[in-house]
């Protein structure tokens, strides 16, 4: 009896010591995470309202205009002289943006532009949207994924047995400087022709192996609801198509595009949504309003983040961003290793860095907010999940694991 009580005491004592140890790890993480800029903060709100008010005044527009997606698109900032109206640029910065944009155009919704912190040279919003002189650096390829040779019909990209992509437009509300499809952005925004869409749908109709269709672009939500419904309707009549998914970044770049009417349409065809938030500061009150509309209508929303140097290649930033996503009911899905796309040298990260970030996430945060880190292999051979190599090893003694704290232990 006495022994039993003693061992309970010992267990409790050991548990308390371990609990304290875990507290110390968490406290350290919390301190680092508190330095990551988030969308819900006084700082972000101040930046946003300041620039927003300047733009509204300059364009003689109202709050109502601002919240109207067509107004946002019509008034995209796409000229260096416009940037100059709302921020101070050095002569050199001005010249650089001007020179780069002559070769690689830019366009930023007033909404996204208003989130830029011009005082921070590494502002994640700025790095993702404003042309950078580094884009001229010799590097990479236009089409490393060989998309041009995975196109069996219309505007389809097919690399997998039972799923494929239809590209329905080359347009996006904001052109990400790191975009893997930069070569398709061109100089004009163009929706895919009716002929190409019909051809793509016919291909799917004639291929009973295809159970999932991804509608993407560009940004699929730049199509009108009517055009979207037309596509959803045709696909839903094909018996073997079980899932329709759309790819859109409007939640981050043009959240006003998401309204009840759209959500009802997506719900009708049980469309699932993939989006792209790359940094916690993109998860603003406006973005969360858009997320809420979708999720409250029962739409599944998953996030595909891209690992980008100086934007988010920091373990606490990735942790915080995924925790914010989980908090607002977006499922972290992928963390993409950046591809070697021409003119994106300054965004490149070594795979070892990505693995270090994944190792950090392992035990330190909820399993519900951990994406799968993937590398999209060259030649369009598909995505490969990347996990720290030491996590599981095998030799004559059997399997050996390395835990989140780097403790090694053999399988029973
Ligand atoms: C990534 C990708 C898909 C979708 O893959 P998931 O892993 O299901 O998200 C489909 N087709 C192509 C060509 C892709 O590159
Ligand atoms: S939203 Fe997607 S397709 Fe459009 S520019 Fe950004 S990364 Fe490219």
């Amino acid at each position: 009896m006495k022994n039993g009580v003693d061992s309970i005491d010992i267990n409790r004592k050991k548990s308390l010591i371990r609990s304290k140890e875990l507290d110390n790890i968490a406290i350290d993480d919390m301190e680092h995470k508190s330095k990551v800029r988030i969308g819900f903060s006084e700082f972000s709100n101040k930046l946003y309202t300041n620039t927003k008010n300047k733009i509204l005044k300059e364009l003689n527009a109202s709050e109502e205009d601002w919240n109207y997606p067509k107004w946002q698109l019509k008034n995209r900032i796409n000229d260096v002289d416009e940037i100059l109206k709302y921020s101070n640029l050095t002569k050199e910065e001005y010249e650089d943006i001007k020179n780069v944009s002559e070769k690689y155009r830019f366009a930023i919704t007033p909404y996204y532009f208003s989130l830029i912190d011009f005082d921070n040279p590494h502002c994640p919003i700025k790095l993702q949207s404003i042309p950078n002189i580094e884009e001229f650096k010799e590097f990479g390829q236009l089409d490393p994924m060989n998309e041009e040779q995975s196109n069996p019909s219309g505007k389809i990209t097919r690399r997998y047995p039972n799923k494929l992509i239809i590209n329905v437009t080359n347009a996006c509300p904001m052109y990400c400087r790191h975009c893997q499809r930069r070569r398709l952005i061109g100089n004009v925004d163009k929706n895919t022709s009716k002929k190409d869409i019909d051809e793509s749908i016919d291909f799917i109709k004639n291929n009973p192996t295809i159970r999932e269709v991804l509608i993407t672009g560009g940004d699929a939500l730049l199509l009108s609801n009517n055009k979207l419904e037309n596509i959803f309707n045709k696909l839903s009549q094909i018996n073997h198509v079980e899932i329709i998914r759309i790819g859109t970044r409007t939640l981050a770049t043009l959240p006003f595009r998401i309204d009840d009417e759209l959500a009802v349409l997506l719900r009708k065809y049980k469309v699932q949504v993939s989006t792209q938030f790359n940094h916690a500061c993109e998860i603003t009150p406006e973005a969360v309003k858009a997320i809420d509309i979708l999720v409250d209508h029962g739409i599944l929303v998953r996030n595909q983040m891209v690992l980008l140097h100086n934007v988010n290649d920091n373990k606490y930033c990735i942790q915080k961003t995924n925790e914010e996503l989980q908090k607002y009911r977006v499922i972290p899905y992928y963390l993409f290793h950046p591809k070697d796309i021409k003119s994106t040298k300054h965004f490149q990260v070594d795979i070892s860095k990505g693995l270090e970030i994944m190792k950090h996430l392992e035990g330190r945060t909820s399993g519900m907010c951990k994406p799968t880190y993937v590398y999209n292999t060259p030649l369009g051979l598909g995505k490969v999940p990347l996990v720290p190599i030491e996590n599981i090893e095998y030799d004559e003694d059997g399997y050996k694991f390395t835990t989140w704290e780097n403790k090694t232990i053999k399988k029973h």
Side-chain angles (χ1 to χ4, degrees):
M1 195 59 204
K2 194 161 183 293
N3 265 349
V5 172
D6 275 355
S7 74
I8 290 173
D9 273 356
I10 289 171
N11 286 344
R12 176 52 58 86
K13 236 183 221 154
K14 282 194 171 162
S15 304
L16 284 170
I17 291 170
R18 177 61 173 156
S19 185
K20 191 81 213 152
E21 226 175 77
L22 294 170
D23 273 345
N24 288 336
I25 297 174
I27 288 166
D28 188 59
D29 285 351
M30 282 160 74
E31 205 174 297
H32 284 98
K33 281 190 293 175
S34 70
K35 299 195 178 98
V36 178
R37 181 182 151 198
I38 58 172
F40 277 82
S41 65
E42 217 171 292
F43 177 81
S44 287
N45 184 46
K46 218 161 154 187
L47 275 179
Y48 180 60
T49 9
N50 267 345
T51 313
K52 176 181 165 183
N53 289 338
K54 277 192 215 164
I55 296 177
L56 287 180
K57 196 164 165 219
E58 173 75 26
L59 299 179
N60 198 13
S62 68
E63 184 77 30
E64 203 186 338
D65 293 328
W66 183 267
N67 294 334
Y68 190 51
K70 285 214 169 105
W71 184 91
Q72 286 279 335
L73 289 170
K74 200 175 120 224
N75 291 292
R76 290 195 301 186
I77 288 151
N78 53 16
D79 182 299
V80 65
D81 290 310
E82 273 176 273
I83 300 181
L84 199 56
K85 282 183 199 157
Y86 309 115
S87 73
N88 300 317
L89 297 174
T90 62
K91 186 153 176 19
E92 195 188 345
E93 283 170 325
Y94 178 94
E95 288 301 322
D96 285 354
I97 297 173
K98 191 172 163 59
N99 286 334
V100 175
S101 63
E102 275 164 12
K103 182 146 186 225
Y104 305 113
R105 72 163 162 155
F106 76 102
I108 314 170
T109 53
Y111 164 78
Y112 198 80
F113 182 85
S114 299
L115 300 172
I116 295 178
D117 174 8
F118 278 98
D119 293 332
N120 174 6
H122 289 162
C123 168
I125 305 283
K126 178 171 141 190
L127 287 174
Q128 291 183 81
S129 60
I130 304 260
N132 189 313
I133 193 71
E134 303 277 323
E135 292 176 38
F136 282 145
K137 281 219 174 108
E138 231 13 84
F139 172 79
Q141 305 159 54
L142 273 179
D143 180 21
M145 306 301 305
N146 213 4
E147 285 184 354
E148 310 288 355
Q149 287 183 29
S150 323
N151 172 224
S153 173
K155 278 284 181 183
I156 282 174
T157 307
R158 182 182 188 186
R159 282 186 209 132
Y160 288 108
N162 73 358
K163 58 189 177 188
L164 55 71
I165 291 175
I166 312 178
N167 283 99
V168 293
T169 179
N170 80 336
C172 296
M174 184 277 280
Y175 290 110
C176 309
R177 305 319 287 174
H178 57 271
C179 180
Q180 56 167 315
R181 299 211 171 91
R182 283 183 71 121
R183 71 180 194 286
L184 302 178
I185 289 173
N187 288 315
V188 274
D189 292 331
K190 203 165 75 232
N191 289 344
T192 301
S193 68
K194 187 175 176 307
K195 177 174 161 288
D196 273 340
I197 300 242
D198 287 346
E199 252 180 59
S200 306
I201 294 174
D202 277 340
F203 178 88
I204 295 164
K205 207 181 281 170
N206 295 326
N207 280 275
T209 51
I210 304 303
R211 73 172 281 274
E212 178 162 3
V213 177
L214 279 69
I215 298 173
T216 179
D219 196 311
L221 286 187
L222 280 193
L223 261 57
S224 66
N225 288 359
N226 270 343
K227 280 202 174 118
L228 286 170
E229 171 137 37
N230 198 350
I231 299 172
F232 297 158
N233 187 35
K234 284 181 182 156
L235 288 173
S236 69
Q237 286 172 33
I238 304 174
N239 260 334
H240 54 268
V241 174
E242 295 174 9
I243 309 278
I244 303 172
R245 198 197 304 181
I246 58 164
T248 180
R249 219 194 156 195
T250 52
L251 277 76
T253 58
L254 182 63
F256 315 114
R257 172 66 178 92
I258 314 287
D259 58 12
D260 284 347
E261 189 192 315
L262 173 75
V264 167
L265 170 65
L266 298 177
R267 176 67 186 84
K268 181 172 168 193
Y269 294 95
K270 298 199 167 55
V271 175
Q272 308 189 348
V273 173
S274 298
T275 189
Q276 185 190 143
F277 287 103
N278 294 326
H279 192 285
C281 72
E282 294 176 328
I283 308 167
T284 62
E286 285 72 14
V288 170
K289 194 170 164 205
I291 294 167
D292 281 345
I293 293 174
L294 292 177
V295 178
D296 288 350
H297 279 83
I299 316 287
L300 202 60
V301 185
R302 293 191 188 83
N303 190 58
Q304 310 197 141
M305 193 182 289
V306 189
L307 183 61
L308 298 165
H309 184 51
N310 283 336
V311 172
N312 62 11
D313 62 337
N314 168 290
K315 55 193 179 187
Y316 301 106
C317 175
I318 299 272
Q319 181 178 358
K320 184 69 187 174
T321 305
N322 284 297
E323 288 176 351
E324 288 287 288
L325 288 168
Q326 181 194 22
K327 180 161 126 194
Y328 298 114
R329 301 182 295 169
V330 174
I331 304 166
Y333 180 40
Y334 281 141
L335 173 63
F336 284 116
H337 189 77
K339 294 178 201 134
D340 58 338
I341 307 290
K342 191 173 182 317
S343 73
T344 65
K345 188 168 199 282
H346 54 299
F347 288 122
Q348 297 302 307
V349 182
D350 198 80
I351 286 184
S352 62
K353 182 80 198 184
L355 291 175
E356 181 200 318
I357 291 169
M358 290 312 290
K359 190 79 204 177
H360 172 82
L361 295 184
E362 272 176 17
R364 288 171 183 248
T365 195
S366 164
M368 300 292 277
C369 60
K370 269 184 295 194
T372 305
Y373 179 35
V374 287
Y375 179 70
N376 228 326
T377 53
L379 305 176
L381 294 177
K383 300 175 183 70
V384 175
L386 305 176
V387 285
I389 197 162
E390 70 279 5
N391 278 14
I392 174 163
E393 286 165 292
Y394 182 80
D395 60 24
E396 59 268 28
D397 291 339
Y399 290 102
K400 196 178 76 189
F401 305 109
T402 302
T403 70
W404 64 276
E405 290 168 287
N406 279 321
K407 292 179 179 161
T408 51
I409 186 133
K410 272 212 304 244
K411 186 175 180 299
H412 277 306

mmCIF file of all heavy atoms in Angstrom, residues 145 157-160 163-165 181 212 214 245 274 304 333-334 336 376 382-383, ligand 1:
data_model
loop_
_atom_site.group_PDB
_atom_site.id
_atom_site.type_symbol
_atom_site.label_atom_id
_atom_site.label_comp_id
_atom_site.label_asym_id
_atom_site.label_seq_id
_atom_site.Cartn_x
_atom_site.Cartn_y
_atom_site.Cartn_z
ATOM 1 N N MET A 145 8.529 22.490 -65.040
ATOM 2 C CA MET A 145 7.614 21.394 -64.775
ATOM 3 C C MET A 145 7.175 20.703 -66.048
ATOM 4 O O MET A 145 6.384 19.766 -66.013
ATOM 5 C CB MET A 145 6.357 21.927 -64.080
ATOM 6 C CG MET A 145 6.635 22.726 -62.850
ATOM 7 S SD MET A 145 7.508 21.738 -61.678
ATOM 8 C CE MET A 145 6.358 20.415 -61.615
ATOM 9 N N THR A 157 -3.690 20.039 -67.783
ATOM 10 C CA THR A 157 -2.372 19.520 -67.399
ATOM 11 C C THR A 157 -2.635 18.207 -66.672
ATOM 12 O O THR A 157 -3.350 18.179 -65.669
ATOM 13 C CB THR A 157 -1.628 20.476 -66.442
ATOM 14 O OG1 THR A 157 -1.595 21.773 -67.036
ATOM 15 C CG2 THR A 157 -0.209 20.004 -66.182
ATOM 16 N N ARG A 158 -2.059 17.127 -67.203
ATOM 17 C CA ARG A 158 -2.282 15.823 -66.560
ATOM 18 C C ARG A 158 -0.956 15.144 -66.264
ATOM 19 O O ARG A 158 -0.132 14.930 -67.146
ATOM 20 C CB ARG A 158 -3.113 14.912 -67.455
ATOM 21 C CG ARG A 158 -3.380 13.585 -66.748
ATOM 22 C CD ARG A 158 -4.166 12.618 -67.584
ATOM 23 N NE ARG A 158 -4.536 11.456 -66.765
ATOM 24 C CZ ARG A 158 -5.134 10.388 -67.238
ATOM 25 N NH1 ARG A 158 -5.469 10.316 -68.512
ATOM 26 N NH2 ARG A 158 -5.407 9.376 -66.441
ATOM 27 N N ARG A 159 -0.762 14.834 -64.963
ATOM 28 C CA ARG A 159 0.455 14.140 -64.539
ATOM 29 C C ARG A 159 0.146 12.963 -63.648
ATOM 30 O O ARG A 159 1.049 12.319 -63.141
ATOM 31 C CB ARG A 159 1.309 15.087 -63.691
ATOM 32 C CG ARG A 159 2.070 16.075 -64.462
ATOM 33 C CD ARG A 159 2.986 16.855 -63.525
ATOM 34 N NE ARG A 159 3.166 18.164 -64.092
ATOM 35 C CZ ARG A 159 3.046 19.304 -63.437
ATOM 36 N NH1 ARG A 159 2.754 19.289 -62.156
ATOM 37 N NH2 ARG A 159 3.221 20.424 -64.044
ATOM 38 N N TYR A 160 -1.121 12.761 -63.355
ATOM 39 C CA TYR A 160 -1.491 11.732 -62.377
ATOM 40 C C TYR A 160 -2.590 10.843 -62.934
ATOM 41 O O TYR A 160 -3.338 11.239 -63.819
ATOM 42 C CB TYR A 160 -1.982 12.410 -61.091
ATOM 43 C CG TYR A 160 -0.883 13.057 -60.279
ATOM 44 C CD1 TYR A 160 -0.761 14.439 -60.225
ATOM 45 C CD2 TYR A 160 0.034 12.287 -59.572
ATOM 46 C CE1 TYR A 160 0.241 15.040 -59.471
ATOM 47 C CE2 TYR A 160 1.033 12.877 -58.828
ATOM 48 C CZ TYR A 160 1.142 14.252 -58.770
ATOM 49 O OH TYR A 160 2.129 14.827 -58.030
ATOM 50 N N LYS A 163 -6.427 12.316 -61.511
ATOM 51 C CA LYS A 163 -6.773 13.733 -61.314
ATOM 52 C C LYS A 163 -6.040 14.564 -62.354
ATOM 53 O O LYS A 163 -4.958 14.170 -62.827
ATOM 54 C CB LYS A 163 -6.414 14.176 -59.898
ATOM 55 C CG LYS A 163 -4.951 13.980 -59.556
ATOM 56 C CD LYS A 163 -4.633 14.210 -58.080
ATOM 57 C CE LYS A 163 -3.159 13.917 -57.816
ATOM 58 N NZ LYS A 163 -2.802 13.929 -56.399
ATOM 59 N N LEU A 164 -6.627 15.687 -62.706
ATOM 60 C CA LEU A 164 -5.967 16.596 -63.643
ATOM 61 C C LEU A 164 -6.432 18.028 -63.415
ATOM 62 O O LEU A 164 -7.345 18.295 -62.640
ATOM 63 C CB LEU A 164 -6.209 16.157 -65.095
ATOM 64 C CG LEU A 164 -7.637 15.962 -65.597
ATOM 65 C CD1 LEU A 164 -8.394 17.258 -65.752
ATOM 66 C CD2 LEU A 164 -7.609 15.239 -66.937
ATOM 67 N N ILE A 165 -5.738 18.942 -64.124
ATOM 68 C CA ILE A 165 -6.001 20.376 -63.971
ATOM 69 C C ILE A 165 -6.588 20.926 -65.263
ATOM 70 O O ILE A 165 -6.156 20.537 -66.346
ATOM 71 C CB ILE A 165 -4.652 21.111 -63.706
ATOM 72 C CG1 ILE A 165 -4.104 20.760 -62.326
ATOM 73 C CG2 ILE A 165 -4.786 22.608 -63.875
ATOM 74 C CD1 ILE A 165 -2.720 21.350 -62.047
ATOM 75 N N ARG A 181 3.978 30.050 -62.764
ATOM 76 C CA ARG A 181 3.443 30.115 -64.128
ATOM 77 C C ARG A 181 3.708 31.489 -64.731
ATOM 78 O O ARG A 181 2.940 31.979 -65.549
ATOM 79 C CB ARG A 181 1.943 29.829 -64.121
ATOM 80 C CG ARG A 181 1.617 28.458 -63.590
ATOM 81 C CD ARG A 181 0.374 27.872 -64.230
ATOM 82 N NE ARG A 181 0.227 26.485 -63.836
ATOM 83 C CZ ARG A 181 -0.476 26.100 -62.766
ATOM 84 N NH1 ARG A 181 -1.113 26.974 -62.038
ATOM 85 N NH2 ARG A 181 -0.549 24.819 -62.463
ATOM 86 N N GLU A 212 -11.116 13.400 -60.248
ATOM 87 C CA GLU A 212 -11.008 14.720 -59.627
ATOM 88 C C GLU A 212 -10.498 15.731 -60.640
ATOM 89 O O GLU A 212 -9.506 15.487 -61.336
ATOM 90 C CB GLU A 212 -10.055 14.653 -58.423
ATOM 91 C CG GLU A 212 -9.850 16.000 -57.758
ATOM 92 C CD GLU A 212 -9.283 15.911 -56.341
ATOM 93 O OE1 GLU A 212 -8.996 14.790 -55.876
ATOM 94 O OE2 GLU A 212 -9.126 16.977 -55.721
ATOM 95 N N LEU A 214 -9.283 19.724 -61.118
ATOM 96 C CA LEU A 214 -8.875 20.975 -60.477
ATOM 97 C C LEU A 214 -9.039 22.106 -61.481
ATOM 98 O O LEU A 214 -8.463 22.054 -62.570
ATOM 99 C CB LEU A 214 -7.393 20.923 -60.086
ATOM 100 C CG LEU A 214 -6.977 20.211 -58.810
ATOM 101 C CD1 LEU A 214 -7.174 18.710 -58.917
ATOM 102 C CD2 LEU A 214 -5.526 20.527 -58.508
ATOM 103 N N ARG A 245 -12.391 20.764 -57.668
ATOM 104 C CA ARG A 245 -11.598 21.605 -56.761
ATOM 105 C C ARG A 245 -11.249 22.879 -57.519
ATOM 106 O O ARG A 245 -10.970 22.818 -58.717
ATOM 107 C CB ARG A 245 -10.313 20.851 -56.404
ATOM 108 C CG ARG A 245 -9.606 21.375 -55.182
ATOM 109 C CD ARG A 245 -8.153 20.920 -55.075
ATOM 110 N NE ARG A 245 -7.859 19.501 -55.102
ATOM 111 C CZ ARG A 245 -6.616 19.015 -54.987
ATOM 112 N NH1 ARG A 245 -5.587 19.827 -54.818
ATOM 113 N NH2 ARG A 245 -6.386 17.719 -55.057
ATOM 114 N N SER A 274 -8.719 25.303 -52.872
ATOM 115 C CA SER A 274 -7.304 25.430 -52.467
ATOM 116 C C SER A 274 -6.931 26.893 -52.564
ATOM 117 O O SER A 274 -7.228 27.532 -53.567
ATOM 118 C CB SER A 274 -6.368 24.703 -53.431
ATOM 119 O OG SER A 274 -6.637 23.350 -53.458
ATOM 120 N N GLN A 304 -2.218 26.137 -49.621
ATOM 121 C CA GLN A 304 -0.979 25.694 -50.254
ATOM 122 C C GLN A 304 0.009 26.843 -50.163
ATOM 123 O O GLN A 304 -0.073 27.811 -50.890
ATOM 124 C CB GLN A 304 -1.244 25.337 -51.714
ATOM 125 C CG GLN A 304 -2.422 24.399 -51.867
ATOM 126 C CD GLN A 304 -2.460 23.705 -53.214
ATOM 127 O OE1 GLN A 304 -2.788 22.537 -53.308
ATOM 128 N NE2 GLN A 304 -2.120 24.409 -54.270
ATOM 129 N N TYR A 333 -2.254 22.501 -45.968
ATOM 130 C CA TYR A 333 -2.215 21.331 -46.848
ATOM 131 C C TYR A 333 -0.793 21.089 -47.336
ATOM 132 O O TYR A 333 -0.162 20.102 -46.951
ATOM 133 C CB TYR A 333 -3.199 21.598 -47.997
ATOM 134 C CG TYR A 333 -3.323 20.524 -49.042
ATOM 135 C CD1 TYR A 333 -3.322 19.172 -48.707
ATOM 136 C CD2 TYR A 333 -3.492 20.874 -50.387
ATOM 137 C CE1 TYR A 333 -3.459 18.205 -49.689
ATOM 138 C CE2 TYR A 333 -3.640 19.912 -51.369
ATOM 139 C CZ TYR A 333 -3.614 18.573 -51.022
ATOM 140 O OH TYR A 333 -3.754 17.631 -51.989
ATOM 141 N N TYR A 334 -0.277 21.997 -48.144
ATOM 142 C CA TYR A 334 1.090 21.840 -48.639
ATOM 143 C C TYR A 334 1.973 23.008 -48.247
ATOM 144 O O TYR A 334 1.500 24.133 -48.105
ATOM 145 C CB TYR A 334 1.099 21.778 -50.174
ATOM 146 C CG TYR A 334 0.709 20.435 -50.750
ATOM 147 C CD1 TYR A 334 -0.077 20.365 -51.898
ATOM 148 C CD2 TYR A 334 1.135 19.241 -50.166
ATOM 149 C CE1 TYR A 334 -0.438 19.140 -52.445
ATOM 150 C CE2 TYR A 334 0.773 18.023 -50.713
ATOM 151 C CZ TYR A 334 -0.002 17.970 -51.848
ATOM 152 O OH TYR A 334 -0.356 16.765 -52.382
ATOM 153 N N PHE A 336 5.074 24.203 -50.330
ATOM 154 C CA PHE A 336 5.805 23.916 -51.562
ATOM 155 C C PHE A 336 7.230 24.434 -51.495
ATOM 156 O O PHE A 336 7.448 25.603 -51.154
ATOM 157 C CB PHE A 336 5.130 24.584 -52.772
ATOM 158 C CG PHE A 336 3.893 23.868 -53.231
ATOM 159 C CD1 PHE A 336 2.662 24.494 -53.163
ATOM 160 C CD2 PHE A 336 3.957 22.581 -53.741
ATOM 161 C CE1 PHE A 336 1.512 23.846 -53.592
ATOM 162 C CE2 PHE A 336 2.812 21.926 -54.174
ATOM 163 C CZ PHE A 336 1.593 22.560 -54.096
ATOM 164 N N ASN A 376 8.115 19.670 -56.111
ATOM 165 C CA ASN A 376 7.518 19.322 -57.389
ATOM 166 C C ASN A 376 8.665 18.962 -58.326
ATOM 167 O O ASN A 376 9.452 19.823 -58.702
ATOM 168 C CB ASN A 376 6.740 20.522 -57.919
ATOM 169 C CG ASN A 376 5.359 20.127 -58.377
ATOM 170 O OD1 ASN A 376 5.151 19.027 -58.890
ATOM 171 N ND2 ASN A 376 4.423 21.022 -58.201
ATOM 172 N N GLY A 382 5.793 14.811 -60.897
ATOM 173 C CA GLY A 382 4.900 14.804 -59.736
ATOM 174 C C GLY A 382 5.555 15.314 -58.464
ATOM 175 O O GLY A 382 6.750 15.607 -58.429
ATOM 176 N N LYS A 383 4.753 15.392 -57.413
ATOM 177 C CA LYS A 383 5.217 15.949 -56.141
ATOM 178 C C LYS A 383 5.816 14.847 -55.265
ATOM 179 O O LYS A 383 5.276 13.749 -55.216
ATOM 180 C CB LYS A 383 4.043 16.573 -55.392
ATOM 181 C CG LYS A 383 3.344 17.700 -56.143
ATOM 182 C CD LYS A 383 2.131 18.169 -55.364
ATOM 183 C CE LYS A 383 1.342 19.233 -56.089
ATOM 184 N NZ LYS A 383 0.631 18.720 -57.278
HETATM 185 C C1 LIG B 1 -0.400 19.171 -57.790
HETATM 186 C C2 LIG B 1 -1.125 18.658 -58.928
HETATM 187 C C3 LIG B 1 -2.373 18.066 -58.790
HETATM 188 C C4 LIG B 1 -3.060 17.950 -57.449
HETATM 189 O O1 LIG B 1 -2.337 17.187 -56.577
HETATM 190 P P1 LIG B 1 -2.807 16.967 -55.065
HETATM 191 O O2 LIG B 1 -1.640 16.328 -54.430
HETATM 192 O O3 LIG B 1 -4.017 16.084 -55.124
HETATM 193 O O4 LIG B 1 -3.152 18.293 -54.511
HETATM 194 C C5 LIG B 1 -2.992 17.580 -59.911
HETATM 195 N N1 LIG B 1 -2.413 17.662 -61.116
HETATM 196 C C6 LIG B 1 -1.230 18.251 -61.279
HETATM 197 C C7 LIG B 1 -0.656 18.306 -62.646
HETATM 198 C C8 LIG B 1 -0.535 18.759 -60.197
HETATM 199 O O5 LIG B 1 0.649 19.330 -60.372
#
